Amino acid sequence: MKEIIYKCSGDDELTLPVLILTIILSLLKILVSCLPTDAVNWIISKFKIHSEISGGNAIVSFDGKRLEGEEKIQVINHFNNARFLKKNHIFPGNEQLFLHPEDSGTPLVIDTKKGKIDVKLFVYIYNDRVDVVKQYKKKLISYSLFSDSLQERSVPLISNLA
């Protein structure tokens, strides 16, 4: 009888790590499924391509002229309310094609901060879409938006210069 118990106890080497791993994974599952809304929103915002801009720390310029007051607030609101359409893939060597596209006109340039990181947004307005090129650190991301108000050039300064 002692031999049988001894032979069975040899499986303890594998049972203990599996038991610990099962407990850890169960706790992780419970933690992830019960996160508060603020924590979930914070995690999602870290991976969001089209993030909202606050007017306080943003500098908006068009054709070298800085937008101030109501025009700046209007552009930022239109940008924040725009709907995300798609991400444009930038391949190495094609960066300049996105920063200075042909037949694009003058871009809106928005300088802002995301945390401690300086972010520069180039907003190219077309009739059917709005292309945004986001430049931060040494990265470049391009995506397209849909915004009736920006596409119609409803901001007076933009409509006069475009």
Side-chain angles (χ1 to χ4, degrees), residues 111-130:
D111 291 304
T112 186
K113 281 187 168 286
K114 186 176 180 182
K116 295 179 182 178
I117 301 169
D118 291 328
V119 178
K120 192 172 212 168
L121 300 167
F122 298 93
V123 182
Y124 296 96
I125 302 170
Y126 300 98
N127 291 333
D128 60 338
R129 71 186 187 284
V130 175

